[in-house]
Amino acid sequence: MSPGASRPGEPLRRRPSQRRSARRVERMLDACAELLDEGGYDALTTTRVAERAGVAIGSVYQFFPDKRALSQALTRRNVELFVARVGRRFMMEDYTGWWDAVDAIIDEYVEMHRSVPGFRSLHFGEVFDLDLLDSVSDNNTVIAGRLRALLFAEFGLADSEDLDRAILVAVEAGDAVLKLAFRHDPHGDPGIVAEAKQLVRGYLSRQLASAVSRRG
């Protein structure tokens, strides 16, 4: 692979090789996030991103072939930030059990939804169905895998195909209910957020109890 070439499945045409180029790409992604929050995906254009970021349109096309690639890169950045922030919580906070960790994951999602530009406009399962973060997995599958690894490392849960499926279902269900919480309330309806926590905790409790029973 030649220097600066992007890896397979990456939205970038080429990876920035210099700090100045990397900062320019980050400005483009920041501009993309702001424009998505203001007008949504349909109103997003590469020209508007270039204007907002203060770069030439050629600079955008140097790294991104179109607005889809820009949005893909922004979603990748948001997912990485989400997982990193959850990991930081796990390091800094003490949890009684995995159920408190699940609440912390949902709290982080809600906080980022409120405060991180572009996060609420690019729900992980929307705009693009496949190939957004991973060449073979859809977005929520990738996120479920990352969160599963954090839960396993923190609480020593035994890995299994059934538990993998349970965590994926929990992520899909939680994502859907949390979207509902923000549909009419920009800060997230607290009652629906609480219902999302109850739903995910109740479902995973049953699945974990069943897994323990089968091992016994």
Side-chain angles (χ1 to χ4, degrees):
M1 183 179 293
S2 60
S6 63
R7 290 185 291 268
E10 278 193 353
L12 282 166
R13 265 187 168 148
R14 57 186 291 269
R15 285 177 288 152
S17 56
Q18 299 178 342
R19 185 178 301 174
R20 184 174 61 181
S21 297
R23 285 200 298 263
R24 193 159 64 241
V25 167
E26 289 302 309
R27 287 208 310 275
M28 294 175 202
L29 295 180
D30 291 342
C32 179
E34 293 171 4
L35 290 167
L36 280 167
D37 282 349
E38 292 170 12
Y41 183 73
D42 289 341
L44 182 71
T45 67
T46 51
T47 300
R48 295 185 70 197
V49 168
E51 291 171 353
R52 180 66 61 92
V55 301
I57 188 66
S59 292
V60 175
Y61 288 130
Q62 182 182 6
F63 295 100
F64 302 101
D66 49 34
K67 72 175 187 177
R68 183 179 189 277
L70 271 162
S71 300
Q72 283 178 314
L74 178 62
T75 296
R76 184 188 295 268
R77 187 176 76 169
N78 280 342
V79 170
E80 295 297 343
L81 179 61
F82 174 57
V83 174
R85 285 173 58 155
V86 168
R88 196 175 306 123
R89 275 184 179 242
F90 279 26
M91 289 179 63
M92 297 178 65
E93 299 173 1
D94 292 324
Y95 303 122
T96 304
W98 64 264
W99 48 88
D100 289 332
V102 167
D103 282 358
I105 290 169
I106 292 175
D107 287 341
E108 193 59 60
Y109 178 98
V110 170
E111 176 56 32
M112 288 186 66
H113 207 292
R114 291 170 177 161
S115 62
V116 175
F119 194 83
R120 69 175 182 267
S121 298
L122 283 178
H123 295 302
F124 300 140
E126 293 180 354
V127 182
F128 318 105
D129 294 327
L130 297 173
D131 300 330
L132 193 63
L133 301 168
D134 184 273
S135 59
V136 294
S137 301
D138 63 64
N139 305 334
N140 279 344
T141 301
V142 174
I143 293 163
R146 306 278 180 87
L147 297 181
R148 179 197 63 188
L150 287 170
L151 288 168
F152 286 175
E154 183 75 12
F155 300 104
L157 300 178
D159 200 355
S160 73
E161 210 173 290
D162 289 341
L163 194 53
D164 284 354
R165 183 170 56 250
I167 291 175
L168 175 58
V169 170
V171 168
E172 291 281 357
D175 185 42
V177 177
L178 288 169
K179 284 175 191 171
L180 176 63
F182 283 92
R183 189 172 298 165
H184 301 297
D185 185 342
H187 298 290
D189 183 302
I192 296 179
V193 171
E195 290 290 338
K197 290 182 177 181
Q198 261 193 338
L199 183 151
V200 172
R201 283 175 62 161
Y203 171 75
L204 284 179
S205 290
R206 291 191 298 274
Q207 298 305 310
L208 288 171
S210 176
V212 170
S213 173
R214 285 194 296 272
R215 286 202 305 271

